[in-house]
Amino acid sequence: MAKVAPVGEASSADEEVEEPKGAALESAAVGDTDGVADNAGGAAADNVPTEPASGRFTSARGLLSRRYGQRAEEYEALLSKVTKSSKRAKLMSVQGVLFGFTFMMSTFETSNRTMIIITMGSFAGSVGLAAHVVLGDAGLACYAAFLVVGGGSVYHAVRSLEAVEVFKEKYEAAYRECTKGIEPGSDQLGPKPMLNPLLMQDGDHAVDYYIEEAKQLLEPFREEVLTVLANAADPTGETVTVLSNTKGEERSREKTRLDYNGVAAKVKDFLRATLVVTTMPEVCRVWGAVEELKAQGRLEVVSIKNRLRGGATSTGYRDINMSVKFRGHVCEIQIQLAAILEVKHDGHAAYELVRSLELEDELEEGPTLADLAGACSPATRVGLGALRFFVAAMASLISALYILFGMRYDTEENQWLGAMVFGAVDAPGLLFAAFQAPPFAMVAVVA
């Protein structure tokens, strides 16, 4: 018979951690040396021969230990503040890059990264030339230093976003392997989604009330629900793992404050469980057992989010997340495939990034340009086509003129024309053209 194992919330910051015995013994030893040092000091005062120099080092060590003990909380708070600031800075760099790429993609109506990088590089080069014209060599040097620092942040942000894409592909590969031979949208992928955006706990109580209620229901929930589901998936218990616990107090308060505007009743996972299975038939057997418990009146299914049957999250992750009412308390049950869970474990850093950016939910596909064009009348489509052609022609002309001016810019008779176009005469014309022609060429291509 499958066994339901209780699991504590390892990630909760409010967990008490037992001090290792070795550390306690070491603290005692340091305390003893402090006493020895004090005795040595007393002997010196009584004109008794003192300890050798090594004793003074021991005394200094004890003094430092006491001072650290007195200021330990201050040091830990400072370290935590620095760590949070570093994480916040990295997150802001990722957000900035994400915003920049999103803006460029929407402006040029393309997801081609090469085109976006060329355009952004051209913009940076043009600003550099302007800095040189206005501020001289010193301004250009400062701008170059800024680009080096900013380039490092951008590089880190891009690599972080690329890591998300890598794990998205891994999730998709694991999902395809687990669902091989199953038709998309089939009942073999589990229950149909059933959303309930207004779902809440009964009553309007504080966090402490719901946590205490969850703790009282934990053991009955394991015996009456989770054991039944685990045995349905695999009576031998060899291929199914069940994890269950109650939500930590600190995390519950944080979620209530940040996600639900202080309304504790909106938290639906004070009591939660995860069933990890290896195959889709086991997923379906778990769902079948849920329906049997529902028919017996032992629980009520109030919400289902089935990412195995519908769309994945923005990272590619898939599972089944359902909310059930057990003895009036809303609980959370997740059904996860072991292969997908293994990828999630390896991609924890990527998951944390997506979570920080608040992009965990599945992405909805919006209408494409073809869809929008199909909804227009023939006359509108012709007018839009003519407008796009005109924009492309003008962009091509401007790009060609920049290149032409750049080629003829350095001749003495054209200095006045080049200065009028580029605004300066102290840099090679082709350099100006290299930075200012590509954006218009990109517009011509996408138009």
Side-chain angles (χ1 to χ4, degrees):
M1 177 177 292
K3 184 178 181 181
V4 180
V7 174
E9 187 176 24
S11 60
S12 295
D14 55 345
E15 295 285 341
E16 294 184 0
V17 181
E18 183 179 358
E19 181 182 12
K21 294 182 179 179
L25 292 176
E26 184 179 352
S27 300
V30 172
D32 292 339
T33 58
D34 293 344
V36 171
D38 293 338
N39 291 336
D46 295 332
N47 295 322
V48 177
T50 61
E51 290 184 350
S54 61
R56 291 197 298 273
F57 286 109
T58 303
S59 177
R61 178 187 174 193
L63 180 61
L64 290 174
S65 176
R66 288 199 303 272
R67 287 181 177 177
Y68 175 79
Q70 294 171 356
R71 303 187 64 183
E73 293 184 0
E74 180 181 345
Y75 292 148
E76 291 175 0
L78 178 61
L79 179 60
S80 176
K81 184 177 181 180
V82 171
T83 302
K84 289 181 179 179
S85 298
S86 176
K87 290 183 177 179
R88 186 160 52 247
K90 291 181 179 179
L91 179 60
M92 289 178 64
S93 68
V94 174
Q95 289 175 327
V97 171
L98 191 60
F99 173 80
F101 271 86
T102 303
F103 177 77
M104 298 296 292
M105 290 168 63
S106 60
T107 300
F108 290 105
E109 298 180 357
T110 180
S111 59
N112 189 307
R113 187 168 58 182
T114 302
M115 295 177 64
I116 295 174
I117 291 175
I118 291 174
T119 303
M120 295 179 72
S122 298
F123 176 77
S126 299
V127 173
L129 290 173
H132 181 253
V133 170
V134 176
L135 303 174
D137 293 339
L140 182 61
C142 293
Y143 180 69
F146 170 77
L147 286 183
V148 170
V149 176
S153 299
V154 170
Y155 175 77
H156 168 76
V158 170
R159 291 298 300 270
S160 299
L161 294 172
E162 286 177 344
V164 175
E165 291 299 318
V166 168
F167 280 99
K168 185 175 182 178
E169 294 174 1
K170 291 183 178 180
Y171 279 131
E172 191 61 28
Y175 175 72
R176 287 196 302 267
E177 182 64 26
C178 292
T179 59
K180 187 182 298 183
I182 300 178
E183 291 292 329
S186 167
D187 288 339
Q188 292 178 289
L189 296 175
K192 294 180 179 180
M194 181 180 69
L195 302 181
N196 187 354
L198 301 179
L199 179 62
M200 297 174 60
Q201 301 282 357
D202 290 341
D204 185 17
H205 305 288
V207 169
D208 293 339
Y209 176 90
Y210 293 116
I211 291 178
E212 184 60 31
E213 186 177 61
K215 289 179 178 179
Q216 293 178 2
L217 293 175
L218 179 58
E219 287 304 322
F221 187 64
R222 286 171 177 165
E223 294 298 325
E224 299 178 26
V225 177
L226 300 183
T227 300
V228 174
L229 301 184
N231 290 333
D234 180 16
T236 67
E238 295 179 356
T239 62
V240 61
T241 302
V242 183
L243 312 174
S244 60
N245 64 5
T246 57
K247 199 175 192 69
E249 180 179 350
E250 182 174 337
R251 176 57 182 152
S252 298
R253 295 186 185 281
E254 180 183 17
K255 190 171 186 177
T256 300
R257 184 179 69 257
L258 298 180
D259 295 349
Y260 299 122
N261 199 27
V263 182
K266 292 185 178 182
V267 179
K268 297 172 280 294
D269 60 343
F270 288 109
L271 175 55
R272 68 269 186 96
T274 299
L275 289 91
V276 184
V277 298
T278 57
T279 65
M280 286 306 304
E282 289 177 347
V283 171
C284 293
R285 288 199 291 269
V286 170
W287 170 242
V290 170
E291 289 189 307
E292 290 183 7
L293 292 174
K294 177 182 176 182
Q296 296 169 7
R298 297 166 68 177
L299 60 77
E300 178 187 357
V301 180
V302 290
S303 177
I304 301 174
K305 185 178 290 186
N306 187 352
R307 299 188 181 99
L308 298 176
R309 188 166 181 165
T313 66
S314 58
T315 62
Y317 179 71
R318 295 176 182 267
D319 67 353
I320 297 177
N321 188 317
M322 66 179 75
S323 297
V324 302
K325 271 194 173 183
F326 177 71
R327 299 187 182 181
H329 185 92
V330 178
C331 316
E332 178 184 88
I333 299 178
Q334 295 183 11
I335 306 175
Q336 300 181 349
L337 287 166
I340 295 180
L341 188 61
E342 184 176 351
V343 176
K344 181 179 181 180
H345 176 75
D346 294 338
H348 182 72
Y351 168 75
E352 287 297 327
L353 173 62
V354 172
R355 181 178 178 180
S356 300
L357 295 172
E358 300 180 353
L359 297 175
E360 292 180 85
D361 293 333
E362 55 265 36
L363 298 176
E364 298 181 1
E365 294 186 359
T368 63
L369 289 177
D371 296 331
L372 295 176
C376 297
S377 65
T380 302
R381 289 199 296 271
V382 171
L384 290 175
L387 178 61
R388 292 177 71 94
F389 178 80
F390 174 77
V391 170
M394 291 301 297
S396 299
L397 177 62
I398 295 173
S399 179
L401 288 175
Y402 269 124
I403 296 174
L404 179 61
F405 284 143
M407 294 174 63
R408 303 292 299 170
Y409 175 66
D410 298 321
T411 60
E412 186 174 349
E413 62 271 17
N414 291 325
Q415 285 285 330
W416 67 273
L417 185 58
M420 184 178 65
V421 173
F422 297 122
V425 294
D426 56 350
L430 288 177
L431 187 61
F432 283 100
F435 288 136
Q436 298 186 2
F440 293 97
M442 295 297 101
V443 172
V445 170
V446 300

